[in-house]
Amino acid sequence: MNWKRYKNLSPTEKYNETNYIIGLDVGNDSSAIAFYNLADGVAEGIDLSGGYGKQSIPTAMQYVAESKEWVFGEYAVLGGGAGTVFPNLFELMGQGGHVDVDGRSVRVASVFALFIKELLGNVKNINPKAEIVGIVASVPAYFSAAAYEEFTQVFKIAGYEKELIALVPDRECVLARHYQTVKDVTERTLLLDLGSRELRGGLYSVKKNASGLSAVSMSSVFDSEISMAALNSDVEKLFESFLTGITGDLEAINTVGANNIREEFHAFTHQHKDVLFQKNIRTRPLKLYYNFVYPPVQHTITVEQVDRLVAPYVRRFNIFIRNVLEKNLYNKGVLPQQVDTVLCGGGGFEMLWAKEVVTKVFPKERVQFFKNPKMITAEGAALIAARELDLTGSPVSVEDNHQLKYDIGLADGENFLPLVERNGFWWQKHPSKLLLVNSMVNGTLELHIATLSPTGEGRSLANIHLDGLPARPKGVTRLEIGVKFHSNTDITITVKDQGFGDLFPQSDYEQEFAVSLGE
């Protein structure tokens, strides 16, 4: 059903038990799904594990050419050499890429749509007559405009274009879940998210306003070197070192059956990595049994080996927390004891060492670890969907002064060349862009700097005049243009001459221009 049509239904029609409002947390590593319980007015997770294990499933697919079938989630990761596995689809969003499926070039969006369709099909497990009437899906804060567009296309291909209400930044979903009932609070809230691609941190000033609660972003930092993907890679290398230390070169090892040794190791890591970081390894060593090689091999891993493995992550995590507190918009560091609430989300907080890092910095009574951190984001997305459908009030509104809400670039009539894309962060390093001037240059040139909103509305920032450029014919003046942010409101535009081939060599021309983003 079209969510706009559902929004206008009468209360009796809205509260039909077959109507389902869905929240999705589709991550690069794993995914979760939740629904808004119309009867109780709360968000509830949907168990994808079949009643045991984690409620989320790996964001992975496998194509089995022999049967021409797709398998999803855990079965895809543990499928060994049965077919081609497609992990990490989420990080490919925005690239417009293709993958090879049994000799055919298929759009990534089309493949990913199959996963989304499978994920949403689990709603039928609750109610065979279920009809999805609205969906909110969380997306990473770093998502580019191109990634937003392609991920929206994924839902269209999957057949859920009319049900998709919005794509919402994941941190807004977590805050919505935590502040699901309006409280009379004034506090500083630190949100930490240890996910597949990176560790993200944001400090918010939460206050009550006329419509509920507002969360104003004070700082926003991320570190891609602290991620589940990086740690998984290190765990796999550790497991490999144990095996090769006993049997020799990995490629010379005999496997049971015809399965690929690398695929077997990936599945083996997936099955055993979580056990390394739980409390039980503190009391007794873990025995690893490599039953996919011949002859089988056993190795015992100790807590000391695990501690050495995570030591670099622990050090960097502590530095990260300090950066989140110190590098804020107010240029005044916040002390750990000045943080009222610490919310820990993302699959990484299922590991004991990650929890210990946080509780050694902040008082334990102020830290909240969610029982199923992946599900929290999905439940928050479901609450936001219910809010958009006028089923519940607004739990919290988020004002982010770190993430750019518009493109910054060069405007020339109807043409616009983005230098910095929206959804990025002002404190990031933004790569320079090359501009080929399609006109004759006689020593001077004027460039118009402007912003462009998602709806196509432009706002002029400045006209910069380039004086002293080498005189050149049409189409052979090539400029490198860079943008450097000094704060969330002030930038410097740098223009360098890059020349054009041997006939028009690069000169030493370079100019800088201060530009304000203030409205």
Side-chain angles (χ1 to χ4, degrees), residues 69-259:
E69 293 179 332
W70 289 93
V71 292
F72 303 86
E74 205 81 26
Y75 297 105
V77 176
L78 302 178
T84 305
V85 179
F86 299 94
N88 306 325
L89 292 171
F90 204 56
E91 69 179 18
L92 299 177
M93 290 292 93
Q95 301 177 24
H98 291 71
V99 292
D100 182 87
V101 179
D102 196 22
R104 295 179 295 114
S105 179
V106 181
R107 289 175 59 196
V108 170
S110 298
V111 174
F112 206 179
L114 296 175
F115 181 83
I116 294 297
K117 194 171 183 178
E118 176 74 12
L119 193 63
L120 290 170
N122 285 277
V123 177
K124 295 288 185 180
N125 296 338
I126 303 176
N127 186 341
K129 297 181 179 179
E131 180 179 7
I132 295 176
V133 297
I135 303 169
V136 164
S138 75
V139 293
Y142 55 75
F143 236 33
S144 66
Y148 267 97
E149 183 178 348
E150 187 167 10
F151 196 41
T152 302
Q153 283 291 315
V154 167
F155 283 88
K156 181 178 181 180
I157 297 168
Y160 289 98
E161 178 185 22
K162 295 179 179 179
E163 291 81 4
L164 181 64
I165 301 172
L167 304 179
V168 178
D170 45 14
R171 52 193 169 172
E172 186 171 339
C173 296
V174 175
L175 290 170
R177 171 61 172 75
H178 179 69
Y179 294 107
Q180 56 188 310
T181 56
V182 177
K183 305 170 186 176
D184 188 3
V185 297
T186 299
E187 63 182 22
R188 289 193 182 103
T189 300
L190 174 63
L191 176 59
L192 296 172
D193 186 344
L194 179 50
S196 172
R197 293 186 59 171
E198 64 207 2
L199 171 63
R200 297 192 290 272
L203 185 63
Y204 297 86
S205 174
V206 181
K207 297 179 181 180
K208 188 175 182 180
N209 58 24
S211 60
L213 289 178
S214 67
V216 179
S217 173
M218 297 173 62
S219 69
S220 184
V221 182
F222 64 76
D223 188 341
S224 59
E225 293 190 28
I226 312 175
S227 68
M228 292 297 293
L231 186 59
N232 289 348
S233 177
D234 285 346
V235 171
E236 192 164 326
K237 290 175 184 176
L238 181 68
F239 288 167
E240 182 181 328
S241 70
F242 293 153
L243 182 60
T244 54
I246 300 171
T247 62
D249 182 60
L250 185 67
E251 305 302 335
I253 294 173
N254 295 317
T255 60
V256 177
N259 293 347

Side-chain angles (χ1 to χ4, degrees), residues 404-421:
L404 298 171
K405 300 177 177 63
Y406 44 71
D407 296 330
I408 302 172
L410 303 177
D412 181 14
E414 296 183 356
N415 298 320
F416 186 86
L417 173 65
L419 300 173
V420 177
E421 294 186 358

Side-chain angles (χ1 to χ4, degrees), residues 146-408:
Y148 267 97
E149 183 178 348
E150 187 167 10
F151 196 41
T152 302
Q153 283 291 315
V154 167
F155 283 88
K156 181 178 181 180
I157 297 168
Y160 289 98
E161 178 185 22
K162 295 179 179 179
E163 291 81 4
L164 181 64
I165 301 172
L167 304 179
V168 178
D170 45 14
R171 52 193 169 172
E172 186 171 339
C173 296
V174 175
L175 290 170
R177 171 61 172 75
H178 179 69
Y179 294 107
Q180 56 188 310
T181 56
V182 177
K183 305 170 186 176
D184 188 3
V185 297
T186 299
E187 63 182 22
R188 289 193 182 103
T189 300
L190 174 63
L191 176 59
L192 296 172
D193 186 344
L194 179 50
S196 172
R197 293 186 59 171
E198 64 207 2
L199 171 63
R200 297 192 290 272
L203 185 63
Y204 297 86
S205 174
V206 181
K207 297 179 181 180
K208 188 175 182 180
N209 58 24
S211 60
L213 289 178
S214 67
V216 179
S217 173
M218 297 173 62
S219 69
S220 184
V221 182
F222 64 76
D223 188 341
S224 59
E225 293 190 28
I226 312 175
S227 68
M228 292 297 293
L231 186 59
N232 289 348
S233 177
D234 285 346
V235 171
E236 192 164 326
K237 290 175 184 176
L238 181 68
F239 288 167
E240 182 181 328
S241 70
F242 293 153
L243 182 60
T244 54
I246 300 171
T247 62
D249 182 60
L250 185 67
E251 305 302 335
I253 294 173
N254 295 317
T255 60
V256 177
N259 293 347
N260 182 283
I261 185 68
R262 292 293 175 184
E263 291 178 353
E264 290 283 10
F265 244 113
H266 181 70
F268 185 79
T269 302
H270 177 78
Q271 287 178 301
H272 292 84
K273 64 181 180 183
D274 292 339
V275 186
L276 294 181
F277 309 117
Q278 303 303 321
K279 289 183 180 179
N280 57 351
I281 199 172
R282 297 290 174 88
T283 57
R284 65 178 186 274
L286 170 68
K287 291 184 178 180
L288 300 174
Y289 185 61
Y290 298 89
N291 59 354
F292 57 89
V293 300
Y294 183 81
V297 172
Q298 182 174 297
H299 179 83
T300 300
I301 181 170
T302 65
V303 65
E304 290 79 16
Q305 290 172 313
V306 175
D307 288 342
R308 285 197 297 271
L309 177 73
V310 300
Y313 294 93
V314 171
R315 288 193 296 270
R316 198 170 181 99
F317 202 158
N318 279 290
I319 295 171
F320 177 87
I321 292 175
R322 186 169 68 243
N323 287 338
V324 175
L325 298 182
E326 292 180 356
K327 297 180 179 180
N328 59 69
L329 287 177
Y330 301 96
N331 295 318
K332 184 179 180 181
V334 174
L335 299 175
Q337 55 267 35
Q338 293 176 312
V339 177
D340 301 289
T341 303
V342 182
L343 304 177
C344 299
F349 282 106
E350 294 172 350
M351 299 182 294
L352 182 62
W353 70 266
K355 295 178 179 178
E356 290 176 342
V357 169
V358 178
T359 51
K360 286 180 180 178
V361 177
F362 302 98
K364 289 184 178 180
E365 63 273 12
R366 299 185 184 183
V367 181
Q368 181 171 348
F369 297 108
F370 301 111
K371 185 177 180 180
N372 190 324
K374 272 307 279 189
M375 191 58 71
I376 292 303
T377 309
E379 290 176 1
L383 288 168
I384 292 174
R387 178 191 69 193
E388 294 300 316
L389 295 172
D390 297 335
L391 295 168
T392 183
S394 174
V396 61
S397 60
V398 179
E399 179 183 334
D400 194 337
N401 298 313
H402 290 262
Q403 197 166 13
L404 298 171
K405 300 177 177 63
Y406 44 71
D407 296 330
I408 302 172

